[in-house]
């Protein structure tokens, strides 16, 4: 049975699941009924971060435009442009044993593609969640349902995996940002051209 978390809660991932290697980080959401005249395209991303909370290399930003980091540890599972259907809308695959030693945490984010121009924000999104699944067994280990109302934000830091005393832990973050993907890239030190 999965551990269900609230915003700000942290839980051990690998200590209580010995031998855990490959996980799927599933992110899902529903779009509320609205008419902005544009499709609503949400995108998941992962930022591999060093000691200072910033990327060490620009390639440590995994998203639809860079689907794999150089180590092969983190892989983007594909772009769902509508969010239609049940279950995960987008997935990020992580091989915990391949994560470079200089990466201390991996932040998982969701942004609204062209949200400012389309006048869209996360207040128009409901039932958002992130979950961790053990790839070997298919078992859901952790789930965090975002219950906050992000009425002006176009980017969310949903959760993070971080190393602590040689083990991986999960932190339910749920923090919103204005400025979409570009704001997150600046926050994490990714060079934006």
């Amino acid at each position: 049975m999965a551990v269900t978390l609230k915003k700000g809660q942290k839980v051990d991932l690998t200590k209580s699941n010995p031998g855990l290697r490959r996980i799927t980080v599933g992110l899902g959401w529903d779009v509320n009924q609205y008419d902005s005249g544009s499709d609503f395209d949400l995108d998941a991303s992962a930022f591999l971060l060093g000691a200072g909370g910033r990327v060490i290399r620009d390639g440590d930003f995994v998203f639809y435009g860079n689907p794999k980091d150089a180590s092969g540890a983190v892989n983007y599972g594909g772009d769902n442009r509508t969010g239609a259907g049940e279950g995960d809308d987008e997935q990020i695959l992580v091989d915990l044993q391949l994560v470079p030693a200089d990466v201390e945490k991996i932040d998982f984010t969701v942004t609204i593609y062209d949200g400012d121009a389309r006048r869209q924000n996360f207040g128009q999104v409901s039932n958002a969640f992130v979950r961790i699944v053990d790839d070997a067994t298919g078992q859901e280990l952790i789930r965090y349902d975002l219950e906050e109302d992000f009425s002006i934000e176009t980017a969310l830091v949903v959760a993070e995996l971080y190393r602590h005393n040689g083990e991986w832990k999960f932190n339910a973050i749920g923090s919103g940002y204005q400025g979409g993907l570009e704001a997150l890239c600046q926050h994490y030190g990714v060079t934006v051209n």
Side-chain angles (χ1 to χ4, degrees):
M1 179 157 167
V3 174
T4 302
L5 300 178
K6 299 282 186 198
K7 180 177 180 168
Q9 289 185 308
K10 300 175 182 179
V11 67
D12 170 71
L13 179 61
T14 55
K15 191 173 184 179
S16 57
N17 296 289
L20 182 66
R21 177 172 179 175
R22 291 184 186 89
I23 60 170
T24 297
V25 180
L27 300 114
W29 53 80
D30 293 322
V31 176
N32 298 336
Q33 295 301 314
Y34 72 98
D35 184 13
S36 71
S38 300
D39 290 335
F40 212 99
D41 181 11
L42 276 66
D43 296 309
S45 305
F47 293 86
L48 289 73
L49 307 172
R54 295 171 71 81
V55 296
I56 300 163
R57 303 157 286 272
D58 281 345
D60 288 345
F61 166 42
V62 176
F63 70 118
Y64 59 85
N66 181 44
K68 182 189 302 188
D69 76 299
S71 72
V74 179
N75 294 274
Y76 180 69
D79 190 8
N80 177 339
R81 296 185 180 203
T82 65
E86 297 297 314
D88 299 341
D89 290 308
E90 292 195 6
Q91 297 179 331
I92 297 174
L93 312 170
V94 180
D95 187 325
L96 297 170
Q97 292 182 358
L98 294 181
V99 176
D102 59 355
V103 172
E104 293 192 2
K105 64 182 179 175
I106 304 169
D107 279 14
F108 299 95
T109 67
V110 178
T111 56
I112 301 172
Y113 180 78
D114 217 11
D116 290 330
R118 296 177 181 184
R119 298 187 330 267
Q120 298 171 338
N121 61 60
F122 277 102
Q124 298 164 311
V125 174
S126 59
N127 304 320
F129 67 86
V130 60
R131 67 191 194 115
I132 304 291
V133 176
D134 180 345
D135 282 1
T137 65
Q139 179 183 3
E140 181 177 287
L141 304 174
I142 299 170
R143 184 179 186 93
Y144 167 41
D145 294 311
L146 284 81
E147 298 171 351
E148 297 79 20
D149 179 20
F150 299 102
S151 60
I152 59 172
E153 292 84 352
T154 55
L156 297 177
V157 178
V158 179
E160 71 183 6
L161 291 176
Y162 66 98
R163 293 184 210 251
H164 181 73
N165 295 331
E167 299 286 351
W168 285 99
K169 294 189 167 218
F170 179 89
N171 183 10
I173 305 254
S175 292
Y177 287 79
Q178 288 180 279
L181 188 57
E182 184 175 346
L184 288 178
C185 287
Q186 290 173 358
H187 174 76
Y188 289 120
V190 176
T191 303
V192 180
N193 296 327

